[in-house]
Amino acid sequence: LAPGTIVAIYGSNLAAGTSQASGAPVATTLGGSSVLVGGIAAPLFYVAPGQINAQIPFELTPGNRYQVQVNSAGALSTPDSIQLASVSPGIAALPSGQVIAQRYPDNSLVTEDAPAKPGDYLTIYLLGLGATDQPVATGAASPAGVLIHPLIAPTLTLNGNTVPIAFAGLTPGMVGLYQINFQVPASAPAGALKLVVSQAGTDSNATILPVKP
């Protein structure tokens, strides 16, 4: 896991009920539950008895192990530990493995029935790209008027070929969400093409981008 990553914590009796964050900045207490990661209160997006979605604090140092502990109405879980890395890229995808991609400028989704075409400009979404060139507070939304880039630049491959990236960074107005904008190469063949993002030698999950000239 990288600092700033949004994670799901699973267990039992993690919260008395189900609650969801209403906006940014994201609070560190939700529905009577809180989470400490390395002694720092983590912003909570969602809590339920069996699951909590939280953000790993940006303040933590990569390369270290940290304890995670849930507090539900004063009852503390047994601490567990996580290992932090500088980056841990993960691409948002459907359960089938198909990448969640939007076309520019109409934001329409790429699907099997509406595949991408060579020359299309696409946006994909990611977690775990780590620290940025301008700091954003844990739980805060990325500013809308400033483009914020990861300190370690990612690379993107499609069907095994490197594709130039037009923009990689935090998604304006969102918390902990990154995006990559790129153009589908004119030479891209038809088919279910393998799309992978790499960063500092670490590969993301392999996703599928449907393409049809």
Side-chain angles (χ1 to χ4, degrees):
L1 296 171
T5 304
I6 299 170
V7 298
I9 301 166
Y10 296 99
S12 57
N13 302 315
L14 301 180
T18 299
S19 299
Q20 194 162 351
S22 57
V26 180
T28 55
T29 299
L30 186 62
S33 294
S34 59
V35 175
L36 289 178
V37 183
I40 299 174
L44 305 183
F45 298 89
Y46 170 85
V47 301
Q51 178 178 339
I52 291 178
N53 295 351
Q55 184 182 27
I56 302 297
F58 274 116
E59 295 88 343
L60 299 178
T61 303
N64 293 336
R65 295 190 70 84
Y66 291 100
Q67 285 195 333
V68 179
Q69 190 170 36
V70 176
N71 182 328
S72 178
L76 299 177
S77 70
T78 301
D80 206 343
S81 64
I82 58 172
Q83 176 70 42
L84 286 197
S86 297
V87 294
S88 182
I91 304 173
L94 301 174
S96 64
Q98 182 177 306
V99 64
I100 297 173
Q102 291 179 295
R103 295 178 183 83
Y104 178 84
D106 65 1
N107 292 328
S108 61
L109 283 173
V110 174
T111 67
E112 289 186 1
D113 295 330
K117 296 183 176 68
D120 279 354
Y121 286 91
L122 303 181
T123 299
I124 61 172
Y125 298 94
L126 308 95
L127 298 175
L129 298 190
T132 54
D133 56 2
Q134 299 182 60
V136 175
T138 302
S142 180
V146 181
L147 294 181
I148 296 180
H149 309 82
L151 285 178
I152 300 175
T155 59
L156 185 151
T157 58
L158 185 64
N159 220 28
N161 299 310
T162 301
V163 176
I165 291 175
F167 169 72
L170 287 171
T171 300
M174 302 299 289
V175 178
L177 184 67
Y178 301 81
Q179 69 182 63
I180 288 177
N181 301 350
F182 68 98
Q183 185 178 24
V184 180
S187 59
L193 307 187
K194 181 180 177 181
L195 186 152
V196 176
V197 170
S198 301
Q199 200 180 17
T202 300
D203 290 343
S204 71
N205 52 314
T207 62
I208 299 299
L209 178 70
V211 174
K212 185 176 181 182

